[in-house]
Amino acid sequence: MISKFTFNNQYLFDELPEYDKNLLLKAMKTKNYRKDEAVFADGTKPNGIYYLNEGKIKKYKVDNDGREQIIYIYSSGEFFGYSAILSNESYGDTTTTLENSVISFIPKDSFLEILDQSPVFSRLLLKSLSHEFSVMANLIAVLSHRTVRERAALSLLILHDKYKTNAPHETEVLISLSRVDLANMVGTARETLARIINDFKQEKLIRTEGRKIKITDFKQLIHIANFY
């Protein structure tokens, strides 16, 4: 995959010195979440931050008509929910699991203490936050000026990067996202998305295994996304 589509910011935790890791591990409380379970909701006050050990989380806004717009997807190895604490504001979005997930919670007081003690953690969080905002800003800007077909192609390229496991012998990446969530990410109706997915299959750009999608022609999909 070309570097332009390297949207993941995984394994921040692994970049920390051992002492900093131990500070976080001592403060973490880990919980299993079921698929489609809310982690936090738009407008609520934060009382800590989260670290995604396993699974996928969608971050989204709901418009006045009740329609979701997915603006970011977290993969294992990412912290989330900390920007509201740093800005001393309520959550500005909602996060929900896309699949069964394992999430660690760090209470607000512990998080702020660790920030004071760990310049490395502070720097890496800032890097992570900048990355997340950059992805969100680029995605919103690109989607607002693209056709539905272009948006669908770009969303699939982003998701491919999010569903990589980074395993050394990984032979294929299967995107496992419901058609409803994919339509919400693209910003279109489910019926419209279904037609585009079918077109991509006919053009041999992707193949499907049930609801899972595998990209088979990156070059042409990047061309369709009109994103160079």
Side-chain angles (χ1 to χ4, degrees):
M1 193 62 180
I2 62 175
S3 60
K4 181 164 291 192
F5 288 101
T6 304
F7 291 104
N8 257 350
N9 193 32
Q10 294 186 342
Y11 309 115
L12 180 151
F13 191 84
D14 292 340
E15 296 182 43
L16 290 170
E18 204 64 32
Y19 177 78
D20 303 64
K21 287 182 185 178
N22 288 332
L23 288 176
L24 288 167
L25 289 170
K26 288 177 183 177
M28 284 179 172
K29 297 178 181 178
T30 303
K31 176 184 173 183
N32 293 324
Y33 284 72
R34 298 184 305 276
K35 178 184 175 183
D36 296 327
E37 186 172 351
V39 182
F40 58 76
D42 191 353
T44 58
K45 286 285 187 180
N47 57 7
I49 73 164
Y50 300 86
Y51 177 76
L52 183 56
N53 296 279
E54 298 176 19
K56 296 285 186 298
I57 304 287
K58 65 178 177 180
K59 176 178 182 173
Y60 63 94
K61 298 283 289 184
V62 179
D63 65 18
N64 293 331
D65 296 320
R67 293 173 299 195
E68 286 185 15
Q69 176 63 62
I70 296 176
I71 53 179
Y72 195 83
I73 292 179
Y74 296 102
S75 301
S76 58
E78 293 190 85
F79 288 90
F80 63 101
Y82 55 88
S83 60
I85 289 180
L86 295 177
S87 61
N88 197 28
E89 296 177 350
S90 300
Y91 292 120
D93 41 61
T94 299
T95 54
T96 302
T97 57
L98 288 168
E99 58 192 45
N100 292 342
S101 301
V102 180
I103 303 172
S104 293
F105 175 76
I106 302 172
K108 179 179 179 179
D109 289 344
S110 298
F111 168 60
L112 294 176
E113 287 176 9
I114 294 169
L115 277 184
D116 287 338
Q117 297 179 54
S118 175
V120 177
F121 184 48
S122 300
R123 177 176 56 80
L124 289 175
L125 269 191
L126 181 60
K127 175 185 173 183
S128 179
L129 187 62
S130 298
H131 162 84
E132 182 179 331
F133 282 164
S134 176
V135 170
M136 288 167 53
N138 288 335
L139 182 60
I140 291 170
V142 167
L143 295 188
S144 65
H145 295 93
R146 295 291 191 270
T147 66
V148 178
R149 180 177 165 88
E150 290 171 333
R151 299 199 306 261
L154 178 60
S155 295
L156 289 174
L157 290 165
I158 292 172
L159 287 167
H160 175 272
D161 231 57
K162 280 293 177 182
Y163 277 86
K164 286 193 301 188
T165 65
N166 293 315
H169 303 297
E170 183 176 46
T171 57
E172 63 178 11
V173 175
L174 294 175
I175 299 167
S176 179
L177 194 69
S178 73
R179 295 298 185 262
V180 171
D181 282 325
L182 182 53
N184 288 338
M185 185 174 180
V186 173
T188 190
R190 185 177 178 181
E191 295 76 13
T192 303
L193 175 71
R195 289 195 294 272
I196 292 172
I197 292 296
N198 187 61
D199 288 344
F200 286 172
K201 287 171 62 177
Q202 295 299 318
E203 295 165 35
K204 301 189 184 307
L205 306 178
I206 63 171
R207 65 175 174 82
T208 59
E209 297 179 9
R211 75 170 190 178
K212 295 180 180 180
I213 298 173
K214 174 178 170 54
I215 298 175
T216 54
D217 191 336
F218 285 102
K219 184 177 180 180
Q220 185 59 22
L221 207 60
I222 291 169
H223 176 73
I224 291 170
N226 193 21
F227 194 66
Y228 297 95

